[in-house]
Amino acid sequence: MDMYRLGQYVYLESPVHRLDPRVKLIAVIALSIIILHVNLMGLTTASAIALAISLLARLSLGSVLKTLRPVLPFFCCLFLLYIFFTPGRPLPPFPIGPMQITYEGLNLGILQVWKFLLLVAAASILTMTATQSEITMGLERLLRPIRVAGISSHDVAMLLSLALRFMPALLDEMNCVSQAQLARGANFNPRHLSGKIRAIRYLAVPLAINIFRRCDELVDAMEARGYQQGHRTYLRELVLSRSDYCLIGAIIILSIAVVAG
């Protein structure tokens, strides 16, 4: 099984898989808040927590790390922007023309990229331990208070769950398009800038067309099944146990303590 795609559910028997999806959603939100408010030492602790959760879910470290593969090029570019364009004390051994690596840029780049990678890993653990229907039900229950403003919690939950569902579909389409273009002799590693722009066009245009086609097929399928907006019922209703309430309380208290501290 290819387990590196973000958004793909991995069927396993574990305590994390058996948790109520609302508990997992609250845990991911709390962990994200903690990640955004801690320093380097706190990030080490948050990384240890994420590792412990993945091991408790019987997910191998390699499968979680592979979910970071699609976003690594973007984060590498982000890291370079931090180290080259953050003012501060220069790092003497590394002058590159007019640009200079600084101590502050290096520290900020490591800290911010580490935070973003942890956020993606937390989202990956959630999608690998909860199905799309579970995430939709959990989000719908958590968002029910917004109904007082006239907003359907189910519609918002459905939009978010469809966005999660389209992440692996987008990666599949990108792989198919790139393989088809390579078979036709396309070069995705040209030396000149004009060639790089042409390579992006070869990939982006058919990818966008295929994604819009999938969206049209999804709309047709939902309409054929009589989908309508508004309140819906579920075959299996979610019920929080006493241990779930205790776990949610502990997560909230820990989050408040870390943010306030």
Side-chain angles (χ1 to χ4, degrees):
M1 180 186 294
D2 189 5
M3 297 195 346
Y4 73 88
R5 294 180 297 173
L6 181 62
Q8 181 182 10
Y9 174 70
V10 179
Y11 179 78
L12 291 170
E13 286 292 334
S14 73
V16 178
H17 284 75
R18 291 192 294 268
L19 279 176
D20 189 286
R22 287 170 289 184
V23 178
K24 287 184 271 192
L25 286 167
I26 292 173
V28 169
I29 295 171
L31 184 59
S32 301
I33 293 173
I34 291 173
I35 290 171
L36 294 174
H37 285 83
V38 295
N39 54 16
L40 194 60
M41 185 61 66
L43 277 180
T44 304
T45 305
S47 301
I49 293 174
L51 177 61
I53 294 174
S54 64
L55 294 178
L56 189 62
R58 297 178 58 194
L59 299 172
S60 65
L61 180 61
S63 64
V64 176
L65 292 178
K66 285 179 180 179
T67 61
L68 305 177
R69 186 181 300 172
V71 297
L72 280 180
F74 170 74
F75 287 141
C76 288
C77 295
L78 186 63
F79 178 73
L80 293 176
L81 289 176
Y82 274 116
I83 64 174
F84 284 121
F85 295 100
T86 301
R89 296 172 299 159
L91 202 62
F94 300 102
I96 303 178
M99 296 183 294
Q100 176 71 54
I101 298 176
T102 63
Y103 289 100
E104 289 77 8
L106 185 62
N107 179 62
L108 188 61
I110 293 174
L111 194 67
Q112 296 300 323
V113 171
W114 192 353
K115 286 183 178 182
F116 288 134
L117 289 175
L118 267 181
L119 291 174
V120 175
S124 302
I125 294 173
L126 171 65
T127 55
M128 295 169 80
T129 58
T131 62
Q132 181 185 356
S133 60
E134 289 176 341
I135 294 175
T136 303
M137 287 191 293
L139 284 172
E140 196 272 333
R141 296 300 190 278
L142 292 177
L143 294 174
R144 277 187 177 178
I146 68 174
R147 291 188 298 182
V148 298
I151 302 173
S152 173
S153 59
H154 182 272
D155 292 344
V156 176
M158 178 61 71
L159 288 174
L160 294 175
S161 64
L162 288 177
L164 290 174
R165 175 62 184 85
F166 262 85
M167 279 195 276
L170 178 62
L171 293 175
D172 285 339
E173 288 290 347
M174 187 171 65
N175 290 332
C176 291
V177 171
S178 62
Q179 292 298 326
Q181 296 289 8
L182 287 173
R184 291 174 173 82
N187 181 17
F188 289 111
N189 295 300
R191 295 182 179 180
H192 302 290
L193 180 61
S194 59
K196 293 182 183 295
I197 296 174
R198 194 182 307 114
I200 294 174
R201 187 187 63 188
Y202 289 155
L203 186 62
V205 173
L207 180 61
I209 293 173
N210 288 346
I211 288 298
F212 288 135
R213 176 178 52 82
R214 283 211 176 194
C215 291
D216 289 336
E217 292 174 353
L218 176 62
V219 171
D220 292 338
M222 294 175 70
E223 290 180 347
R225 289 164 173 80
Y227 178 82
Q228 294 181 355
Q229 294 181 346
H231 178 69
R232 301 179 67 86
T233 59
Y234 297 94
L235 179 64
R236 181 176 66 89
E237 292 294 332
L238 298 177
V239 178
L240 288 171
S241 63
R242 182 178 299 178
S243 60
D244 291 331
Y245 281 113
C246 294
L247 188 55
I248 290 174
I251 292 171
I252 293 175
I253 292 172
L254 177 62
S255 302
I256 295 174
V258 170
V259 174

